[in-house]
Amino acid sequence: KQEVTQIPAALSVPEGENLVLNCSFTDSAIYNLQWFRQDPGKGLTSLLLIQSSQREQTSGRLNASLDKSSGRSTLYIAASQPGDSATYLCASILTGGGNKLTFGTGTQLKVEL
Amino acid sequence: SQTIHQWPATLVQPVGSPLSLECTVEGTSNPNLYWYRQAAGRGLQLLFYSVGIGQISSEVPQNLSASRPQDRQFILSSKKLLLSDSGFYLCAWSVYTRDQPQHFGDGTRLSIL
């Protein structure tokens, strides 16, 4: 059974800082890994999807990396802004797991002025 | 473009009452559909998923059921709600291939009294 862990659970940084969110998973036989953003009381917004054959994906100020052998993924946010404040979730699909996502518990990010 | 709608946004129900939450997707055909629950202090848990009309897979034993009467309609139901059914319910869709991300609705906040 896949277990996904995100550290830290909460993070507060000043505006403009570069930051890294961590995601680790126990089963390296993943098909892909996704990063999502969740604003309070809202649904999830897909940020980046990394296929198992890829090492990283970039979208604007976001960069996600994947290291299957070590069971880790990171989300790098450059030049953080107050609008980046949200909970960030990673989730993986196993190779033999259909379309079923297993989610981590998230990192709650606050970017302060 | 594709959109996903969930309603109601908020629901307060007494213990033992029935439940019906609805989710519809527009702008795509034959999507995979998912119901997730996010309980306080816990991660997102997949409840049901469907790859086609009338095809429902249940991930966890529980007091809930799901149905897919039409291609782009997914319904979450219960005959008698329990206190433990409280939570934030999210519907999601994806294309049939696992190479594409899942897209989430805005969720329904369900409180059981």
Side-chain angles (χ1 to χ4, degrees):
Chain A
K1 177 186 174 185
Q2 177 74 293
E3 293 183 6
V4 182
T5 305
Q6 291 186 248
I7 295 173
L11 181 64
S12 182
V13 300
E15 182 180 13
E17 190 163 300
N18 302 326
L19 58 101
V20 175
L21 306 180
N22 297 294
C23 171
S24 61
F25 43 92
T26 54
D27 190 339
S28 62
I30 63 170
Y31 187 81
N32 61 41
L33 186 138
Q34 287 184 244
W35 282 92
F36 294 88
R37 168 187 173 136
Q38 186 176 27
D39 292 290
K42 298 292 186 181
L44 277 64
T45 300
S46 179
L47 298 174
L48 291 164
L49 183 150
I50 311 176
Q51 302 292 352
S52 62
S53 58
Q54 297 174 323
R55 297 285 294 185
E56 64 179 288
Q57 280 285 334
T58 298
S59 176
R61 294 182 294 109
L62 305 179
N63 176 277
S65 67
L66 175 64
D67 185 342
K68 283 179 56 179
S69 60
S70 66
R72 298 172 72 175
S73 176
T74 62
L75 179 66
Y76 175 83
I77 303 177
S80 58
Q81 303 171 358
D84 294 329
S85 298
T87 297
Y88 290 81
L89 298 156
C90 67
S92 70
I93 291 178
L94 290 176
T95 299
N99 276 17
K100 290 178 276 187
L101 282 169
T102 300
F103 281 86
T105 50
T107 293
Q108 188 173 15
L109 173 65
K110 183 176 182 181
V111 180
E112 300 175 318
L113 290 169
Chain B
S1 63
Q2 301 87 4
T3 55
I4 180 169
H5 303 280
Q6 270 188 258
W7 66 92
T10 306
L11 189 60
V12 181
Q13 292 284 97
V15 170
S17 64
L19 172 73
S20 181
L21 302 180
E22 189 161 344
C23 172
T24 59
V25 180
E26 297 177 356
T28 188
S29 297
N30 195 31
N32 287 347
L33 296 171
Y34 312 84
W35 278 112
Y36 291 87
R37 178 170 59 203
Q38 190 173 35
R42 300 178 62 181
L44 271 154
Q45 181 183 38
L46 178 64
L47 303 176
F48 301 95
Y49 72 95
S50 171
V51 298
I53 296 174
Q55 301 178 63
I56 309 294
S57 295
S58 174
E59 289 300 298
V60 294
Q62 60 201 313
N63 185 42
L64 302 168
S65 62
S67 62
R68 184 170 178 173
Q70 300 181 43
D71 182 44
R72 290 168 290 176
Q73 183 185 29
F74 206 23
I75 298 172
L76 185 69
S77 304
S78 174
K79 293 181 179 179
K80 284 187 174 183
L81 285 167
L82 306 172
L83 283 174
S84 58
D85 292 324
S86 292
F88 191 48
Y89 288 82
L90 289 158
C91 180
W93 74 273
S94 70
V95 297
Y96 62 88
T97 172
R98 296 187 292 167
D99 295 329
Q100 298 299 316
Q102 292 185 19
H103 304 278
F104 285 75
D106 286 335
T108 295
R109 176 74 58 190
L110 175 64
S111 300
I112 310 300
L113 303 178

